[in-house]
Amino acid sequence: MRTQVGIIGAGPAGLLLSRLLHLQGIDSVVLENRSRDYVEARIRAGILEQHTVDTLTAAGLGDRLQREGLEHRGIYLQYPGTRHKLDFPELCGRTVWVYGQTEVTKDLIAAQLDGGPPLLFEVSDVRPEDVDGDSPRIRFTDADGVEQVLECDVIAGTDGFHGPSRAVVQGAAGRVWERTYPYAWLGILADAAPATDELIYAWHPEGFALYSMRSPSVSRLYLQVDPAEKIEDWSDDRIWENLATRFALEGWELTTGTITEKSVLPMRSFVSTPMRRGRLFLAGDAAHIVPPTGAKGLNLAVADVTLLAQALVRLLHEKQTDLVDTYSDRALARVWRCTHFSWFMTSMLHRSGDDFDAELQLSQLRRIAASEPAARELAENYTGLPLDL
């Protein structure tokens, strides 16, 4: 098999990269070790920055997003007795959209299978080879058990933290930066109409809580818990009671309903540097992971592949290496900025058990509520900084 760009991983990063290259006349093949059903069922992030929405729309993937997605003009920051709204258009002129990563993935797969580049599911034993030369290749076993070789000009590793690409890049004197946080999120999907017009980020003495949504009839809610918590120890009643306590505000009431999905999500920050080795380029979770508090994971992946697509078009169409040579540094500048913002939101809102830390957190929340410059800084980061810093 022969293609210009071999893409390992059919998450949003790999699929969007293939789409952006296809629109520029560059061939690709996308390899995915899971089934289509599995990929389309993964529950992930749901907040899209303005840049992400613009990129998907420009790539011809915005119809269902515009029809079913929920545009949000701000968030609420809450601490006991206070719920303060940050108005994003007023503060920075941008908005965000609630549209689940699952739905983004479905849209990308549908476009890919409707006359787009090849997308191969359920492959195994994927191995990038000869990435330091000008003719890399990917060895893999297809869904029928047949060994294959995909000859490429370039390989894109969009295969997540556990995929083979990152290990190949790290094998050439790479470095890993990591922080594990001492708390986790218990997340639920519930058939309950949202009781708020915007997301609520709530600091509470018993722990953080987040009120989000997926549609006018489905709510997505989170509770801070210990990473060692077992989901079977949390009955539906216990979950709703804790949510009601942490979101409590005079004159407001939590809407409850049937819980259809629940899980415990550990939280950590992870950055792998550099994001390139020879003709192998990393993007998305293969290179970085952030805690979900800042709503940056999917948006960082979109930013990565937008930069990478520009660089690969210049390399493959114009034979110029300037953008691929600077890709890692340019992408990492934004990765570290978003990693910092995610750390900031996580550190400000989660109870550590230390009362001194709690007073510092409340001081920061009050500062944001009272200071327009402080509120603008949060709004600018939340809605998305420029693609290329």
Side-chain angles (χ1 to χ4, degrees):
M1 301 174 64
R2 180 76 176 84
T3 193
Q4 289 176 285
V5 182
I7 301 174
I8 306 173
L15 292 167
L16 180 58
L17 177 60
S18 180
R19 177 73 176 178
L20 296 176
L21 294 174
H22 176 66
L23 294 174
Q24 295 294 322
I26 292 177
D27 297 330
S28 65
V29 173
V30 182
L31 307 176
E32 169 60 44
N33 68 340
R34 300 286 192 170
S35 68
R36 178 181 179 180
D37 288 345
Y38 181 93
V39 172
E40 290 187 338
R42 285 186 290 209
I43 302 296
R44 292 291 189 270
I47 304 296
L48 306 184
E49 294 175 358
Q50 186 67 60
H51 165 264
T52 298
V53 173
D54 294 344
T55 300
L56 292 171
T57 302
L61 300 162
D63 288 351
R64 196 161 70 95
L65 190 163
Q66 298 288 338
R67 187 172 63 251
E68 300 179 15
L70 306 174
E71 186 178 17
H72 283 261
R73 302 173 62 84
I75 60 172
Y76 292 105
L77 291 180
Q78 178 173 321
Y79 45 94
T82 300
R83 182 176 291 174
H84 177 77
K85 183 174 182 178
L86 300 183
D87 187 315
F88 290 162
E90 183 178 292
L91 289 166
C92 65
R94 296 191 293 274
T95 63
V96 296
W97 287 69
V98 172
Y99 189 66
Q101 180 172 320
T102 303
E103 306 311 315
V104 173
T105 302
K106 289 177 182 177
D107 294 343
L108 285 162
I109 288 176
Q112 193 87 1
L113 297 179
D114 185 19
L119 168 55
L120 308 182
F121 290 104
E122 299 183 82
V123 306
S124 57
D125 303 321
V126 179
R127 303 185 304 280
E129 294 182 352
D130 292 341
V131 300
D132 295 319
D134 293 334
S135 301
R137 69 181 63 86
I138 306 172
R139 293 188 184 275
F140 67 96
T141 302
D142 66 22
D144 296 322
V146 179
E147 293 186 2
Q148 303 279 4
V149 178
L150 178 62
E151 303 285 351
C152 319
D153 296 315
V154 169
I155 299 173
T158 59
D159 45 345
F161 178 80
H162 296 291
S165 301
R166 183 176 63 85
V168 174
V169 174
Q170 286 289 302
R175 181 170 181 182
V176 169
W177 312 76
E178 189 168 12
R179 171 159 297 177
T180 300
Y181 296 91
Y183 22 73
W185 280 8
L186 189 158
I188 66 166
L189 275 175
D191 291 333
T196 175
D197 57 337
E198 307 288 9
L199 278 70
I200 304 171
Y201 286 77
W203 183 100
H204 190 273
E206 294 184 13
F208 169 71
L210 171 61
Y211 201 134
S212 183
M213 60 285 292
R214 284 294 179 268
S215 75
S217 60
V218 177
S219 295
R220 179 72 162 156
L221 302 103
Y222 300 92
L223 285 167
Q224 176 189 342
V225 298
D226 188 279
E229 287 283 350
K230 294 180 173 57
I231 194 66
E232 54 267 24
D233 293 336
W234 284 81
S235 67
D236 291 3
D237 287 345
R238 184 185 178 192
I239 291 172
W240 287 121
E241 288 170 6
N242 274 265
L243 287 167
T245 297
R246 299 186 197 186
F247 287 122
L249 189 73
E250 186 175 354
W252 181 88
E253 187 173 344
L254 178 69
T255 302
T256 63
T258 302
I259 295 176
T260 58
E261 190 270 340
K262 54 185 174 181
S263 59
V264 174
L265 172 68
M267 302 178 69
R268 63 184 177 129
S269 295
F270 169 87
V271 180
S272 177
T273 61
M275 291 172 60
R276 176 197 183 184
R277 175 180 173 180
R279 289 289 183 112
L280 171 59
F281 299 84
L282 302 181
D285 286 358
H288 44 74
I289 295 171
V290 291
T293 327
K296 290 292 162 243
L298 173 59
N299 296 294
L300 267 178
V302 171
D304 287 350
V305 298
T306 305
L307 289 174
L308 183 55
Q310 295 169 355
L312 295 181
V313 168
R314 186 156 171 80
L315 173 68
L316 298 174
H317 276 341
E318 304 174 30
K319 309 304 179 186
Q320 300 296 316
T321 65
D322 54 339
L323 294 185
V324 293
D325 288 341
T326 58
Y327 164 70
S328 180
D329 289 340
R330 293 161 60 216
L332 282 167
R334 199 174 194 279
V335 167
W336 278 116
R337 176 87 289 278
C338 293
T339 299
H340 178 272
F341 178 68
S342 298
W343 165 86
F344 165 75
M345 291 287 285
T346 302
S347 301
M348 176 176 65
L349 290 164
H350 290 76
R351 280 287 275 132
S352 67
D354 185 306
D355 290 339
F356 184 84
D357 284 347
E359 293 302 323
L360 294 177
Q361 292 169 325
L362 290 168
S363 175
Q364 181 64 58
L365 288 164
R366 295 186 189 108
R367 168 67 177 168
I368 293 170
S371 165
E372 184 174 317
R376 182 178 297 112
E377 173 70 9
L378 192 154
E380 288 178 347
N381 280 271
Y382 194 98
T383 59
L385 295 170
L387 178 64
D388 196 337
L389 299 180

